[in-house]
Amino acid sequence: AGSPLQYSWNSTCTGACFVPGSDQQTVSRDALRGADNGVHTCTVIDDYGNYGSASITVEVVGVALWYSGSRLENNKILIGETGTLECISGSTTPSVGRWVSPAGLDVTSVPSPFAVTVGGEGDPGHLSVGLFPPSTSDSQGVYTCVMPDETGEEVRLNVGIYPLGFNTPISITGLSVDSSSAVSNDFTLVSTSTGSPPSSVSWSRYGITLNTDGRHTLTSTLSDGTTATYTHYLSVDDTPDNILGQYTISVTDNFGNGDEESISINGLAVTSSHAVFIVGETGTITCSSDLSPSSIEWLLSDGTTVSSTATESSLTLVFDPVADSMHGLEYTCRAQYSYGSHEVPYQLSVEIDPADMMVSVGYEGIIVNGGELLMTCTVTIVEGLTYKPTVTWSGKASNNITTSGDMRVAVETSHPSDLETVVSVHYDPYLSSSDGDKFLCHASLKSLAPPYHLDMYQELQIITEPAFTVTIDTVPSLMNTPSLPVASDLTMTCGVVGGTAPFSYNWNSDCFGDCFVLGQLGSSSQVVSRQGLRSFDAGNHTCVVTDDTSLSESTTVELKLSGVGFYQEGTGSISSNSIVFVGSTDTIGPYLCISASTLPNIGQWVAPNGNAITDVTMVTVGGADTPGLVTFQAGGLSSLLTGVHTCLIPDEAGIDKELYLALYPEGFNTPPQVDSLEISPDPTTTVTLRCVSSGSPATTVTWYKAGKVYHTNDILDSVSTVIEDLKHTHRLLDGVTATYQSFLGVLLPPGEALGSYQCHVTNSLGTAVSESLDVKGLRIDQVTVEVPADGSSVTVSCTTDLELTSLEWLYNGNPIAATAGSKELSLTLPLPDDDYTSKTFVCRATNAFGTQEEYLSVTYETPTPPPTTPSTTEAPTTEETPTTPVIDHQGRAAAVAGGVAAVITLLLLLVLVIIIIVGFFYIKKQRAVKIDADKVRSLPFGKSQRGVVENPLYIEADAVEQNMVSDDSHQAKDVTTTGSFRYSHMDEVPSDPGYGQIQLAPSKANQEGKDDNDEDDDDLKSAEGKFKYSKFK
């Protein structure tokens, strides 16, 4: 115990033993050997002189190989640099062991590549070898260490020693001329390879193998063992004819791998930075030699040396910048060798590029028309051009401003630098109206290099502020108006804001023919106008104003025209369908029928008799100068000219139009009257009413429905006007009689179109009112029954007041009679010859509003004849009693007819009375009392307990009071009304969306007449007084 401690080692081993003499706490050996055998003792002493010791015995056995600080495991060494290989044994016998080469020979310290050391007395059992990379094939391979172990038995250990890259395919990594060669009349080629050591290296020129001789020297060596790099040299010392050419090196190794590389020795060559040099850019040409010349120089074609070097193998000429004058120059590169000189010529090729010249134009400030203008054209060229550019200005008014001699223009040329040319043009004053707004600067450049000439143009747009402002005011305004209608009037006024008075005016236009503006060209008037615009008046109209200082400004408006129209010279535009009253001494017209079409020779004037007027003294059709124009005039009004005239002319879209003009003598004034009011005969798509009226002056028509204004149309027009759900057409039907025809088409759903209509016709002389016309919709107005006196048949008829698509009678769902286009259909039914007692027929009417049916029940009964007392002298006679039909039609009609042959008058009267009484009660039980003839509509539905067809009532929706409408819960609301009613039991409530269903029942206050038959609660009842009825959903 104690600190610090001192250590001391000693051992029984001798010589190179690693233990003795150490004062460290720890001692170690990387490669134990025989010299390390023995007892090793460690003695420890503290600061107080106390000590202690311990011993350990070490015995080394066996034989091993040791290289570079570690035990060999794979017994192969790849040597890239020097090192030491050790063969170690546990033997303590000195000077034992030996190395055997791959050839089987003992290796001593000589020969190379290894230096062998055998351990002596101080280092027994140790055999070391100093290694370096083998450079020849015979120095590489398997070496054997022969060493006895601790028992004296000889042990043999093998190890392969190879250079780095062993068994790696050989590859040539470089081939070049050795530029460090100091000999000027030869050169050396240097090549490198890596991988396995080469087994053979060969050089050739043009495929001929070269060997070491007086002209060629071939050597190879391991230049870098670390990377297994070998260097191969070929030194050439020969005549100039045998030096240049292609050289090839080929290398192979012992493993069958090989590689080769070639190089061309050209002597002297010239390269350039550009195939074609551009003026103003930088260019170079370089002369280089792959040999070792004593000097290189560049010479001009006259032999003058431009540049030279005696130290470099290349020489470069720099051109900065390239000039156009260099185009075609010839240079020669000359290299001097010990065996003579070598020359290579080179000729420069130079071009100019469009980018070698740039042109820019501009002006300063805000240019006011009549003020000053200074515009400049600056041309910049690149350095290297021999000539300066030529610059000219041109404009609309002068082809070449710089030579025009215009006194207002001053031209100046300057050169701010050798590369700039500026040409300035000074206008004072500048008049945009005469000089135009665009100018062109033209720069022209001549050159000594292709393409020998450059031309560049730059346009300059002059934006001027007007000296004063010109306006054109139009009546009517053309602002936000696509076009004006033909035959209308137009006035254009030219105005001026600013400037110096007085002003002069000049109008021009791109219109054609008899255009009103062209007719006033050069006019000094501010105002131009046209009454009755024609198609050829359309175009761009310009007003040019010149003030007292001779400055001019202008503005333009565009006029577009459309449609067709009437115009009367001296009167103005008139509407189509106008009526003109002509005095006995008056002339007619001229009337102009005008179209916006620009096609010549179109249109015609048609007289009241329907024939076109071809008399050129009356009708003129416009030609090329006046297209889209038909003119009519006459000396007076004749019978042939009295009535409605028609102008037929296409509009600008080519669509034919008709314009109407009625001519009548003065005094042709009649108050309005309604000639007829009826439903139009073709109500297949709508309810159309037709009102025919007469009167002069022209009438207007107002339609009334239910006493209120429904629609008014005071414009006579052949084209219908559609407004919301109406289609109303009102036009002159006959000009001679001043007869008008007005159609009112009601486009609403049929149910809303029904009602009472009136036609009111008005002119300045008064108003005529038509009778009311009720539009009832589709309804069977009458079903009649006729029975002939003999009772052999019965005839039924069905009629309606509207036009129908079809009308037919059906029995058992099958048609038995039908008609199309008729409002009445009759059917004759023979008396039955079987035992049935009743038949039900259906009358069905169909049109655009739908289908309506009426049911007709015909019941046949055989009356019981009165008893008769037979004569005592005559046998009783029995005559056949005819079957008598009893007709029931929805409560509208009933009839009983019959007869009994050979019956005395009294008995016949008695029988008739009985039949009438029976029929009365039968009919009373079968018919329904009317609630309102105009509002009740009955359809058969269901059967009573007695099996008789019954007819529950359906009341139309507009007949039901507001408080009768059921709510969403389908609960009926009761109201009371007065009158005679019929009610019947219904097994189920029918569904008909067009009508509300009404079920009637007597109120408690009016049930005094109730039947005594309790089993017949469902019998039909009738009573006078108040009843309640319910509307069901």
Side-chain angles (χ1 to χ4, degrees):
S3 179
L5 301 178
Q6 298 179 6
Y7 301 92
S8 175
W9 288 89
N10 57 75
S11 177
T12 61
C13 64
T14 59
C17 177
F18 73 103
V19 176
S22 176
D23 59 358
Q24 300 297 315
Q25 186 178 5
T26 300
V27 294
S28 64
R29 165 78 88 176
D30 289 336
L32 289 171
R33 59 203 62 179
D36 296 325
N37 286 328
V39 178
H40 307 302
T41 301
C42 176
T43 301
V44 182
I45 302 174
D46 62 13
D47 279 347
Y48 304 103
N50 300 316
Y51 64 92
S53 64
S55 300
I56 186 171
T57 300
V58 174
E59 182 179 357
V60 180
V61 298
V63 179
L65 295 176
W66 192 270
Y67 178 72
S68 296
S70 63
R71 186 185 182 99
L72 282 179
E73 299 296 338
N74 56 9
N75 294 335
K76 183 173 71 172
I77 300 173
L78 300 180
I79 302 175
E81 57 187 13
T82 59
T84 300
L85 173 65
E86 297 175 274
C87 184
I88 306 172
S89 171
S91 173
T92 58
T93 303
S95 304
V96 296
R98 71 184 190 277
W99 282 101
V100 180
S101 71
L105 301 176
D106 286 347
V107 179
T108 61
S109 58
V110 196
S112 296
F114 306 124
V116 179
T117 302
V118 180
E121 291 292 339
D123 192 13
H126 184 214
L127 182 64
S128 64
V129 179
L131 302 179
F132 59 89
S135 59
T136 60
S137 59
D138 59 357
S139 61
Q140 62 184 6
V142 177
Y143 288 78
T144 303
C145 174
V146 181
M147 176 71 74
D149 63 9
E150 75 281 358
T151 64
E153 183 178 352
E154 190 175 80
V155 177
R156 303 175 70 91
L157 297 179
N158 297 326
V159 60
I161 300 176
Y162 303 98
L164 197 65
F166 174 75
N167 206 26
T168 300
I170 193 169
S171 174
I172 295 177
T173 57
L175 177 58
S176 62
V177 177
D178 183 6
S179 59
S180 65
S181 175
V183 182
S184 61
N185 62 344
D186 67 358
F187 66 93
T188 299
L189 295 180
V190 181
S191 178
T192 57
S193 66
T194 59
S196 298
S199 60
S200 67
V201 178
S202 65
W203 291 88
S204 63
R205 175 175 177 266
Y206 291 132
I208 300 174
T209 302
L210 304 178
N211 299 309
T212 299
D213 52 27
R215 296 174 299 168
H216 308 97
T217 302
L218 286 67
T219 59
S220 294
T221 182
L222 178 64
S223 56
D224 188 349
T226 303
T227 59
T229 300
Y230 296 84
T231 304
H232 316 285
Y233 299 92
L234 171 63
S235 297
V236 180
D237 184 6
D238 206 343
T239 63
D241 294 339
N242 294 324
I243 289 178
L244 305 181
Q246 185 181 57
Y247 290 83
T248 301
I249 181 174
S250 299
V251 294
T252 58
D253 60 17
N254 287 324
F255 303 99
N257 301 311
D259 197 7
E260 69 176 24
E261 189 70 44
S262 297
I263 186 172
S264 293
I265 303 302
N266 300 312
L268 195 62
V270 175
T271 57
S272 64
S273 60
H274 299 77
V276 177
F277 294 90
I278 304 300
V279 174
E281 296 183 357
T282 300
T284 62
I285 56 175
T286 301
C287 180
S288 59
S289 174
D290 50 12
L291 300 178
S292 300
S294 59
S295 65
I296 299 178
E297 58 183 340
W298 279 105
L299 300 92
L300 293 174
S301 58
D302 59 1
T304 303
T305 300
V306 178
S307 180
S308 64
T309 179
T311 59
E312 303 293 335
S313 59
S314 64
L315 183 60
T316 300
L317 287 183
V318 179
F319 309 110
D320 186 18
V322 176
D324 59 352
S325 59
M326 295 178 181
H327 178 65
L329 287 183
E330 291 187 358
Y331 289 84
T332 299
C333 176
R334 177 187 294 165
Q336 191 68 43
Y337 302 96
S338 60
Y339 56 79
S341 63
H342 186 193
E343 295 182 353
V344 176
Y346 187 85
Q347 185 178 45
L348 291 179
S349 178
V350 179
E351 289 184 358
I352 57 174
D353 187 87
D356 289 344
M357 181 172 65
M358 294 178 291
V359 180
S360 62
V361 294
Y363 65 90
E364 296 182 357
I366 299 175
I367 308 303
V368 177
N369 189 22
E372 293 187 57
L373 167 64
L374 178 62
M375 54 186 184
T376 58
C377 179
T378 302
V379 181
T380 305
I381 60 175
V382 298
E383 191 176 357
L385 291 169
T386 303
Y387 302 102
K388 294 186 181 300
T390 300
V391 182
T392 58
W393 277 97
S394 60
K396 291 182 178 179
S398 177
N399 208 23
N400 189 337
I401 297 175
T402 56
T403 61
S404 64
D406 191 336
M407 298 301 294
R408 298 178 298 123
V409 181
V411 180
E412 180 182 349
T413 301
S414 62
H415 299 282
S417 69
D418 291 340
L419 302 180
E420 278 188 304
T421 301
V422 179
V423 178
S424 302
V425 176
H426 184 201
Y427 271 91
D428 187 15
Y430 173 71
L431 304 175
S432 63
S433 58
S434 61
D435 295 300
D437 296 325
K438 291 182 180 180
F439 294 89
L440 194 66
C441 177
H442 173 208
S444 178
L445 178 67
K446 184 174 68 171
S447 175
L448 298 176
Y452 305 108
H453 193 272
L454 282 181
D455 282 293
M456 297 194 70
Y457 298 86
Q458 192 68 38
E459 187 179 84
L460 178 62
Q461 175 82 39
I462 303 298
I463 307 299
T464 61
E465 294 289 335
F468 51 87
T469 302
V470 178
T471 62
I472 297 179
D473 297 323
T474 63
V475 179
S477 174
L478 299 180
M479 294 289 293
N480 303 319
T481 301
S483 62
L484 291 180
V486 294
S488 60
D489 298 337
L490 175 66
T491 298
M492 298 190 299
T493 303
C494 190
V496 182
V497 178
T500 303
F503 301 99
S504 62
Y505 304 89
N506 189 5
W507 290 87
N508 58 71
S509 176
D510 60 4
C511 60
F512 67 97
D514 288 343
C515 170
F516 74 105
V517 176
L518 295 179
Q520 302 180 57
L521 288 180
S523 171
S524 61
S525 174
Q526 285 184 259
V527 180
V528 293
S529 62
R530 166 77 89 178
Q531 283 71 47
L533 288 169
R534 283 75 152 164
S535 64
F536 41 85
D537 292 329
N540 295 295
H541 307 310
T542 301
C543 177
V544 180
V545 179
T546 303
D547 73 354
D548 194 45
T549 65
S550 299
L551 293 178
S552 297
E553 298 292 347
S554 65
T555 191
T556 301
V557 295
E558 183 181 13
L559 172 62
K560 295 181 179 180
L561 298 173
S562 61
V564 296
F566 269 143
Y567 180 81
Q568 182 179 7
E569 292 286 3
T571 301
S573 178
I574 59 176
S575 65
S576 176
N577 293 313
S578 294
I579 299 178
V580 178
F581 298 98
V582 182
S584 58
T585 61
D586 292 344
T587 58
I588 300 175
Y591 293 104
L592 278 63
C593 179
I594 306 172
S595 168
S597 173
T598 56
L599 297 177
N601 305 314
I602 58 173
Q604 59 178 325
W605 194 277
V606 180
N609 60 8
N611 297 325
I613 300 176
T614 58
D615 187 345
V616 295
T617 63
M618 300 176 65
V619 175
T620 303
V621 178
D625 290 338
T626 56
L629 185 63
V630 178
T631 303
F632 169 72
Q633 59 186 348
L637 185 64
S638 64
S639 59
L640 293 177
L641 298 180
T642 301
V644 179
H645 293 249
T646 305
C647 175
L648 303 176
I649 193 168
D651 62 10
E652 71 277 10
I655 301 174
D656 290 334
K657 299 293 184 179
E658 296 183 5
L659 302 178
Y660 302 98
L661 178 65
L663 301 178
Y664 299 105
E666 285 185 343
F668 191 76
N669 294 346
T670 58
Q673 65 179 24
V674 178
D675 299 326
S676 64
L677 177 62
E678 60 187 18
I679 297 178
S680 179
D682 185 21
T684 57
T685 59
T686 183
V687 175
T688 304
L689 307 180
R690 179 174 180 264
C691 177
V692 179
S693 62
S694 61
S696 180
T699 61
T700 61
V701 173
T702 302
W703 288 92
Y704 284 75
K705 180 182 178 183
K708 296 181 180 180
V709 175
Y710 196 55
H711 184 61
T712 300
N713 190 347
D714 57 359
I715 301 175
L716 296 176
D717 193 353
S718 61
V719 180
S720 301
T721 57
V722 178
I723 303 177
E724 297 178 351
D725 297 317
L726 302 176
K727 184 177 182 181
H728 187 186
T729 303
H730 179 49
R731 60 168 294 179
L732 184 65
L733 185 64
D734 186 348
V736 176
T737 60
T739 301
Y740 300 87
Q741 180 173 255
S742 179
F743 286 98
L744 176 66
V746 184
L747 307 180
L748 296 169
E752 299 181 29
L754 306 182
S756 178
Y757 292 84
Q758 280 185 317
C759 171
H760 291 216
V761 182
T762 303
N763 69 2
S764 59
L765 301 179
T767 299
V769 180
S770 70
E771 296 181 354
S772 295
L773 176 63
D774 293 332
V775 178
K776 301 178 181 179
L778 182 61
R779 182 184 296 272
I780 305 300
D781 289 301
Q782 183 179 11
V783 177
T784 60
V785 180
E786 295 181 2
V787 181
D790 59 3
S792 61
S793 64
V794 59
T795 299
V796 293
S797 296
C798 185
T799 63
T800 180
D801 66 344
L802 290 182
E803 198 72 19
L804 302 176
T805 305
S806 65
L807 184 65
E808 53 188 342
W809 280 101
L810 298 91
Y811 177 64
N812 287 339
N814 299 315
I816 56 177
T819 181
S822 176
K823 296 183 179 181
E824 179 178 356
L825 179 62
S826 299
L827 178 65
T828 299
L829 307 174
L831 294 180
D833 53 4
D834 49 21
D835 295 333
Y836 69 85
T837 59
S838 65
K839 286 185 178 182
T840 300
F841 299 88
V842 178
C843 178
R844 178 186 293 167
T846 303
N847 71 358
F849 296 115
T851 299
Q852 182 66 55
E853 294 180 347
E854 286 284 353
Y855 286 71
L856 179 68
S857 178
V858 180
T859 302
Y860 299 88
E861 296 181 352
T862 303
T864 303
T868 57
T869 303
S871 172
T872 57
T873 59
E874 295 181 357
T877 303
T878 302
E879 294 186 0
E880 182 181 355
T881 303
T883 300
T884 304
V886 178
I887 309 301
D888 175 29
H889 166 58
Q890 310 291 358
R892 293 195 180 191
V896 176
V900 179
V903 180
I904 62 175
T905 302
L906 182 61
L907 292 178
L908 180 58
L909 293 175
L910 180 61
V911 170
L912 291 175
V913 169
I914 293 173
I915 293 173
I916 291 172
I917 294 173
V918 172
F920 171 77
F921 287 100
Y922 180 82
I923 292 173
K924 180 177 179 182
K925 192 171 184 178
Q926 294 295 321
R927 68 176 296 176
V929 179
K930 292 184 179 179
I931 295 177
D932 185 335
D934 291 331
K935 296 182 178 179
V936 176
R937 180 175 186 181
S938 300
L939 291 176
F941 183 84
K943 291 185 178 181
S944 71
Q945 293 179 352
R946 294 183 178 182
V948 179
V949 175
E950 295 183 356
N951 304 297
L953 291 177
Y954 290 66
I955 298 181
E956 294 175 318
D958 56 343
V960 181
E961 298 180 19
Q962 184 67 30
N963 59 355
M964 294 167 57
V965 179
S966 62
D967 56 20
D968 292 339
S969 63
H970 293 196
Q971 298 298 319
K973 295 182 180 180
D974 294 339
V975 297
T976 60
T977 185
T978 59
S980 298
F981 293 83
R982 165 185 176 273
Y983 69 94
S984 65
H985 171 75
M986 292 185 292
D987 294 331
E988 59 181 350
V989 178
S991 176
D992 184 347
Y995 298 89
Q997 291 82 39
I998 308 301
Q999 186 179 31
L1000 302 178
S1003 63
K1004 294 181 180 179
N1006 294 283
Q1007 295 185 8
E1008 292 80 8
K1010 185 175 182 181
D1011 273 357
D1012 295 330
N1013 187 1
D1014 294 333
E1015 296 179 357
D1016 195 17
D1017 291 339
D1018 293 320
D1019 288 349
L1020 305 180
K1021 308 296 181 180
S1022 66
E1024 294 288 332
K1026 296 184 178 179
F1027 285 75
K1028 68 177 181 180
Y1029 58 101
S1030 302
K1031 178 181 179 182
F1032 292 85
K1033 207 53 167 168

